[in-house]
Amino acid sequence: RIATPGADSAHVIGELLADCGYIDDLKRSCKTIEEGDKREINVRELLASLGEHQKRSRKGLQGFLDEVSLDREREEKKEDNASGVTLITLHAAKGLEFPHVYLIGAEEGLLPHERSKAEDTVEEERRLFYVGMTRAMRSLTITHCRNRTRYGSSAHCEPSRFLAEIEGDGVVRKNFEELMNAPVSEDQFENAFARLREMLAE
């Protein structure tokens, strides 16, 4: 039916998926209802994209698949060449590496988490902290707050106990005042203005 000239490929494939119970089977393989719903939405969106492709092109299903494949290659190339910031949890960072890593919130109650103290799983939190540290290829910056606003009120924060365990020649400790009052080198000054000029030119 799809090979028939002028066939509505999206409709034909939609009927096929309904007849074979694909969506139901897909949802059964998911661990949660939310995950199943997301997968169903993805399939529906794919069919909708195919329908839109048919309206502007006569290349049929093969043309749609070629276009999708080309778009994916472009996205992958863009990701390979892209520069920017990746926000990621410590759990999700296992196995990955980044040139520069910033671990934010190294405080008692956050890392290690308050619950880990009650459940006696601080060692697991220490391993997690180690995972985060070892993701860095060139530089690692770890921060903690003196005060943090929680639920509308300010609370005093204590540095994570793990910070006291970090020693060595490569470790540099600085507080906020030292960072803000540090003199700026001529190179840093010129580089900052060069970046501003580039941004304005864009």
Side-chain angles (χ1 to χ4, degrees), residues 46-62:
L46 187 66
L47 289 175
S49 296
L50 174 56
E52 289 298 317
H53 178 268
Q54 289 176 159
K55 293 177 184 176
R56 56 182 165 78
S57 173
R58 295 181 180 178
K59 294 182 180 179
L61 180 61
Q62 186 60 55

Side-chain angles (χ1 to χ4, degrees), residues 1-2 7-17:
R1 291 171 60 189
I2 287 175
D8 186 344
S9 300
H11 180 71
V12 174
I13 293 174
E15 283 188 343
L16 174 64
L17 296 181

Side-chain angles (χ1 to χ4, degrees), residues 22 149 169:
Y22 177 78
T149 301
D169 295 336

Side-chain angles (χ1 to χ4, degrees), residues 80-143:
D80 290 341
N81 297 330
S83 62
V85 176
T86 300
L87 297 178
I88 194 169
T89 64
L90 288 172
H91 288 94
K94 290 180 180 177
L96 303 176
E97 285 188 323
F98 303 94
H100 307 283
V101 170
Y102 294 80
L103 297 182
I104 311 300
E107 300 148 24
E108 289 293 308
L110 290 178
L111 192 64
H113 196 274
E114 202 66 52
R115 191 171 59 247
S116 71
K117 301 176 191 178
E119 297 174 356
D120 196 26
T121 56
V122 173
E123 278 304 310
E124 179 59 32
E125 294 279 288
R126 181 177 278 106
R127 282 191 287 271
L128 198 58
F129 184 62
Y130 178 77
V131 165
M133 290 177 59
T134 52
R135 299 311 90 202
M137 298 164 66
R138 290 168 57 189
S139 72
L140 169 67
T141 302
I142 306 173
T143 70

Side-chain angles (χ1 to χ4, degrees), residues 22-23 26-27 30 33-49:
Y22 177 78
I23 297 293
L26 184 70
K27 294 174 87 167
C30 297
I33 295 173
E34 291 78 12
E35 184 185 353
D37 290 341
K38 285 180 182 177
R39 290 196 175 187
E40 180 180 2
I41 289 169
N42 287 340
V43 173
R44 303 289 181 204
E45 287 182 350
L46 187 66
L47 289 175
S49 296

